[in-house]
Amino acid sequence: MGKKPAQKLSRREFFEKGHLYYLTHLSIDNVIFGFHDNQLKVLLLEWKDTRRWCLPGGFILKGEHIEEAAIRVLHQRTGLNNIYLQQFYAFGDPNRERSKHGIEPPLEVKNKSWLTERFVSIGYWALVEFSKVVPKPDEFSETCQWWDIDKVPTLILDHNNILEKALDSLRRNLNDYPVGRDLLPPKFTMPELQRMYETILDKQLDRRNFQKKMLALDILERLNERKQGGAHKAPFLYRFDQRKYEKAMKQGLRIGLQ
Amino acid sequence: MGKKPAQKLSRREFFEKGHLYYLTHLSIDNVIFGFHDNQLKVLLLEWKDTRRWCLPGGFILKGEHIEEAAIRVLHQRTGLNNIYLQQFYAFGDPNRERSKHGIEPPLEVKNKSWLTERFVSIGYWALVEFSKVVPKPDEFSETCQWWDIDKVPTLILDHNNILEKALDSLRRNLNDYPVGRDLLPPKFTMPELQRMYETILDKQLDRRNFQKKMLALDILERLNERKQGGAHKAPFLYRFDQRKYEKAMKQGLRIGLQ
DNA sequence: ACAAAAGTGTTAACCGTACACCCATGA
DNA sequence: TCATGGGTGTACGGTTAACACTTTTGT
């Protein structure tokens, strides 16, 4: 008890016996951001029964650090490892009960399941490289797919609110820490980096000042290559200097974008 | 069940039956800051049995918002209402078990109590007016008193770490939101306000530039009184403009102190 | 040749910082 | 009258924001 179940629980066992392995009343919700086609995206799941969308989440094993749990969930949905996760808020409204929102466990276990109780959820956000993700639905969901951040439908429970708060936290983070490495491919152009910032901040930035600021941070390395194939002048490719990036990650920056 | 217990639980009932009223595996820890004698203070409790110090904390009733729980705990220890509380982090190390840190429930209920399990704790910090607080120990503690922030002893569990993180969060908050109203008496002088900032930031600030910045925020109102009784030139008294303070609280500031 | 995107440089306004001067008060 | 703390103003330097010009490329 308290360890990882020796074998995967069946759906029914999960409802009936999950509380033997997982912490009750507590869940994790991950807001997984990606960037593609000049759009900020978020990974969502669609429930099998209700056909409603939600954030990828999960529960905490009894011997597991909550961050480990978040990492595990992230890995299960995206296949990715070594991802930067940021805890941003705990959601503790007493109305956070699945039963109050039309999300019932199967009839045969109703009123017996730990899942009908009220849950406090701890929110994490993550930034991932869009192209590397292979979205995998979990056993309760039909599909797992990316949504444009401004087209997200009404989600279950307070998940829209959680997403909102995650975006807030991410934006606040933008001015104090470097970000691009996790959202962009290893090599990228300055205009691409700028689009990313503009998309997250939902704000237009001056091309020339942006370039100066980014270079002044001293975390970028310009390569002797240009991105070919565009319709116009070929822009230089850049990559992050790993060492300097890590350092900036630790001690913070003060970017101050317009 | 799930409601507030009709009458206060005895110590033994609390250990044996607490899980009927409170969420298991979940606790609240409050870091309550005060300011007095040019010192930042934090309110701590001393356990009866182990004589060790800890942060004032508590548990979440089944029908209670986690923030309500934090407010309730704050009220019980300080007697204060309407206090600004800020959630700053959830602590989820699986080693957060009382039993692993020499904090055992009474022998007669050992191994039967929900309190021996591992707990995830949600941290809140609060700023309170030192002089208004009447520290009240809870039923498990001997004393409840203020400690200078730089003289805090070794606390139980990871409470030193929680305190550290709370200070971090408070400092980060300082540059984005107004703060003084909650830590200072209603009328205060500019030097007093400056000492408060200096103490929290642990940094000396230029007197003249500080004054300019604070006034530029446009949340202070200078009164036609001066603080008498000091050894030197009598400084003006100020108070916060409530409406403007609230507004700044919502939309944030960008102070940028040296 | 032209439009559109990218690279580079210049300037003026603003802000943060350092510092000087005067005033009030108690010893 | 002197030391100390408080109130107010100025000047310098660096940063930010606004903007102009040139280069490259596909059509």
Side-chain angles (χ1 to χ4, degrees), chain A residues 208-209 212-213 231-233 258:
Chain A
R208 297 150 286 192
N209 295 330
K212 263 180 285 176
K213 254 175 212 167
H232 307 287
K233 184 173 180 177
Q258 285 172 18

Side-chain angles (χ1 to χ4, degrees), chain A residues 49-112:
Chain A
D49 38 7
T50 63
R51 286 272 157 170
R52 292 181 60 194
W53 292 84
C54 66
L55 294 169
F59 303 96
I60 302 153
L61 288 164
K62 288 197 173 182
E64 189 179 44
H65 198 294
I66 52 174
E67 190 165 309
E68 277 181 71
I71 291 171
R72 177 170 49 78
V73 170
L74 177 66
H75 177 73
Q76 287 166 354
R77 290 305 129 254
T78 64
L80 296 179
N81 288 307
N82 290 339
I83 295 302
Y84 177 65
L85 266 161
Q86 177 70 41
Q87 186 195 305
F88 65 95
Y89 205 68
F91 298 85
D93 192 300
N95 287 318
R96 300 189 83 272
E97 278 180 36
R98 283 165 179 71
S99 57
K100 285 193 184 164
H101 293 80
I103 317 161
E104 305 282 359
L107 274 179
E108 67 271 25
V109 292
K110 204 175 160 181
N111 297 327
K112 287 190 294 183

Side-chain angles (χ1 to χ4, degrees), chain B residues 149-166:
Chain B
I149 202 76
D150 48 7
K151 286 171 192 148
V152 167
T154 300
L155 307 174
I156 64 164
L157 286 169
D158 56 349
H159 284 201
N160 289 95
N161 179 40
I162 296 180
L163 175 54
E164 202 65 37
K165 273 246 179 192

Side-chain angles (χ1 to χ4, degrees), chain A residues 1-143:
Chain A
M1 196 159 77
K3 301 287 172 193
K4 208 161 183 166
Q7 53 195 44
K8 209 164 181 325
L9 296 178
S10 74
R11 186 183 159 91
R12 172 144 189 180
E13 280 170 339
F14 181 75
F15 279 112
E16 284 183 340
K17 296 186 191 162
H19 62 282
L20 298 176
Y21 305 101
Y22 296 101
L23 298 186
T24 50
H25 307 299
L26 254 180
S27 61
I28 296 285
D29 280 303
N30 282 345
V31 182
I32 303 170
F33 291 111
F35 185 70
H36 187 63
D37 277 344
N38 288 342
Q39 273 287 339
L40 190 63
K41 313 254 186 186
V42 62
L43 201 61
L44 297 177
L45 287 173
E46 186 187 25
W47 276 69
K48 272 179 186 156
D49 38 7
T50 63
R51 286 272 157 170
R52 292 181 60 194
W53 292 84
C54 66
L55 294 169
F59 303 96
I60 302 153
L61 288 164
K62 288 197 173 182
E64 189 179 44
H65 198 294
I66 52 174
E67 190 165 309
E68 277 181 71
I71 291 171
R72 177 170 49 78
V73 170
L74 177 66
H75 177 73
Q76 287 166 354
R77 290 305 129 254
T78 64
L80 296 179
N81 288 307
N82 290 339
I83 295 302
Y84 177 65
L85 266 161
Q86 177 70 41
Q87 186 195 305
F88 65 95
Y89 205 68
F91 298 85
D93 192 300
N95 287 318
R96 300 189 83 272
E97 278 180 36
R98 283 165 179 71
S99 57
K100 285 193 184 164
H101 293 80
I103 317 161
E104 305 282 359
L107 274 179
E108 67 271 25
V109 292
K110 204 175 160 181
N111 297 327
K112 287 190 294 183
S113 175
W114 61 304
L115 284 169
T116 58
E117 305 246 334
R118 165 253 182 116
F119 272 76
V120 171
S121 195
I122 298 173
Y124 284 84
W125 55 253
L127 305 176
V128 303
E129 207 185 308
F130 184 86
S131 64
K132 281 195 180 169
V133 174
V134 187
K136 277 180 284 240
D138 63 18
E139 60 216 292
F140 304 105
S141 39
E142 192 72 40
T143 20

Side-chain angles (χ1 to χ4, degrees), chain B residues 206 208-209 212-213 230-234 258:
Chain B
D206 182 276
R208 298 149 285 193
N209 295 330
K212 260 180 291 175
K213 253 175 215 169
H232 306 287
K233 182 172 181 177
Q258 283 172 20

